[in-house]
Amino acid sequence: MLEKMQDVFAIVGPTSVGKTALSLRLARDFNGEIISGDSMQVYRGMDIGTAKASHEERALVPHHLIDICSPDEEFSAADFQSRTRVLIEGLNLRGKLPMIVGGTGLYVQAALYNYEFSQAGENPKYRQQLLDFAQENGSEALHNRLAEIDPVTAGRLHANDEKRVIRALEIYHLTGRTMAEHQNRSRTSPYNLLMIGLTMDRAVLYERINLRVDKMVAEGLIEEVQSLLHLGCTSGMRSMQALGYKEIIMYLEGKSSREEAIELVKKKTRNFAKRQLTWFRAMKDIIWFDVTPGRGNPERTYQRIYELMEGKFR
């Protein structure tokens, strides 16, 4: 007799599209618990800038992989994969529906598919050569090197995401295959998976992003960054590379005005949303829903998602 595959539901999409509100409602209707699929929500003290679910929302539905690391700790996609797979098994055993909700494409993909991290190994000497190259020629030149051999991965990564750009180049150097090719070989999910994606008219989404950044600033984003700096965090930490934090640090160090920093956060967040959509569009299995306000009936959209989940998990 074949063993039943474990159930997993996922909601993906760009920042500010409305994933949190939908996930809370579905979790209550389907006895679910939410696993944050955001690479920066693991860090304690980084609440406003990472748009964590509020304490009230977390009281309504249990959330996992939030506030599990100090800002000075490293937390990778491989860490997320291993932690999430343990959670998925445990939640299924307890009769709960695991719901991965977030916008970090690599993390979600790694957790939901047979994605192998260790197969490429490491080459510290080559990695140092790439670091030296970036130091001398700039992150853009390093990103261009990746674009020449792996345009798919380069299209998903920002030039400033130096660590992941270097890893993609290292994988090609070690294996002769691009990161995109490795990911294409890891497209089978071990789970009974239903994954939906939320999308929205680009102009409307960008306006929501602008408003969200203004709201974050009003709620104390600048003060949050100041507090982290006082605790000893530095711009060199991986956690401090999160959207909103690096730009505010520049303002606090006198390298830009307050208004310039806020506008830069908005611009970079809009660019990030575009890259998120590029990443998720390349993933299979996602059933997309347009949630643009005024376009269609929100309750009908919810009913369609509800029916999909009912057919998959009940």
Side-chain angles (χ1 to χ4, degrees):
M1 181 177 175
L2 291 174
E3 185 177 346
K4 182 180 180 294
M5 296 174 74
Q6 295 174 348
D7 294 336
V8 182
F9 176 64
I11 304 175
V12 300
T15 184
S16 302
V17 79
K19 299 184 293 295
T20 298
L22 176 63
S23 69
L24 291 169
R25 185 176 176 185
L26 289 171
R28 293 195 296 272
D29 285 348
F30 283 88
N31 193 28
E33 295 191 12
I34 294 169
I35 301 169
S36 169
D38 185 291
S39 63
M40 293 299 169
Q41 291 187 356
V42 297
Y43 294 110
R44 290 186 288 273
M46 298 175 62
D47 303 330
I48 298 170
T50 64
K52 289 176 186 171
S54 68
H55 291 291
E56 292 76 17
E57 290 168 333
R58 284 183 252 173
L60 291 172
V61 176
H63 283 62
H64 303 272
L65 300 190
I66 292 177
D67 294 340
I68 61 171
C69 295
S70 297
D72 60 348
E73 293 181 73
E74 288 282 324
F75 189 84
S76 68
D79 295 323
F80 179 82
Q81 182 190 65
S82 60
R83 295 284 290 263
T84 299
R85 288 182 173 178
V86 171
L87 283 167
I88 289 170
E89 183 175 1
L91 289 170
N92 271 275
L93 285 172
R94 291 196 286 114
K96 300 287 186 176
L97 177 64
M99 298 174 55
I100 299 179
V101 181
T104 304
L106 177 61
Y107 280 39
V108 174
Q109 187 174 19
L112 294 178
Y113 294 91
N114 290 318
Y115 191 108
E116 298 292 338
F117 283 96
S118 59
Q119 61 190 3
E122 294 182 358
N123 187 322
K125 183 178 178 181
Y126 180 70
R127 191 176 293 179
Q128 187 59 52
Q129 289 174 2
L130 295 175
L131 283 168
D132 293 342
F133 177 85
Q135 184 72 28
E136 184 176 342
N137 300 282
S139 298
E140 197 73 42
L142 185 71
H143 188 263
N144 289 340
R145 281 182 62 171
L146 178 61
E148 290 174 5
I149 60 169
D150 188 356
V152 174
T153 301
R156 296 173 177 174
L157 298 177
H158 192 276
N160 291 339
D161 195 353
E162 202 170 275
K163 188 167 186 176
R164 290 199 177 105
V165 171
I166 286 174
R167 180 55 181 162
L169 286 163
E170 183 183 34
I171 286 173
Y172 181 75
H173 178 76
L174 289 166
T175 68
R177 292 200 306 270
T178 65
M179 179 179 279
E181 288 173 315
H182 281 283
Q183 290 171 353
N184 286 335
R185 292 164 62 90
S186 309
R187 290 203 150 204
T188 303
S189 177
Y191 301 115
N192 179 41
L193 171 65
L194 174 64
M195 180 161 41
I196 67 165
L198 303 184
T199 187
M200 186 177 287
D201 176 82
R202 192 68 59 89
V204 176
L205 179 64
Y206 286 175
E207 183 56 30
R208 284 167 67 106
I209 287 170
N210 293 340
L211 291 172
R212 173 182 272 193
V213 172
D214 287 335
K215 184 170 183 283
M216 286 177 172
V217 173
E219 290 177 347
L221 174 61
I222 294 173
E223 292 76 12
E224 180 172 270
V225 177
Q226 284 177 318
S227 176
L228 289 164
L229 293 175
H230 289 154
L231 290 171
C233 295
T234 67
S235 58
M237 291 178 180
R238 182 171 184 173
S239 59
M240 292 294 101
Q241 300 300 309
L243 270 173
Y245 292 83
K246 190 174 183 180
E247 295 76 22
I248 297 301
I249 288 173
M250 289 175 63
Y251 157 61
L252 293 173
E253 291 178 344
K255 296 176 182 176
S256 68
S257 69
R258 185 177 186 273
E259 292 72 24
E260 287 169 341
I262 293 169
E263 285 306 311
L264 187 57
V265 174
K266 291 178 180 179
K267 179 183 177 182
K268 287 193 173 183
T269 306
R270 294 192 300 266
N271 291 340
F272 175 61
K274 185 177 180 181
R275 294 196 304 276
Q276 285 177 299
L277 283 166
T278 299
W279 185 288
F280 289 124
R281 291 292 187 191
M283 288 176 63
K284 65 170 189 174
D285 298 331
I286 299 177
I287 301 171
W288 288 95
F289 291 88
D290 186 336
V291 292
T292 305
R295 187 181 295 173
N297 185 322
E299 278 304 312
R300 177 56 191 147
T301 298
Y302 185 83
Q303 188 61 34
R304 287 168 59 203
I305 296 170
Y306 185 99
E307 289 167 0
L308 284 171
M309 294 179 69
E310 199 168 43
K312 190 76 170 178
F313 303 125
R314 289 181 175 169

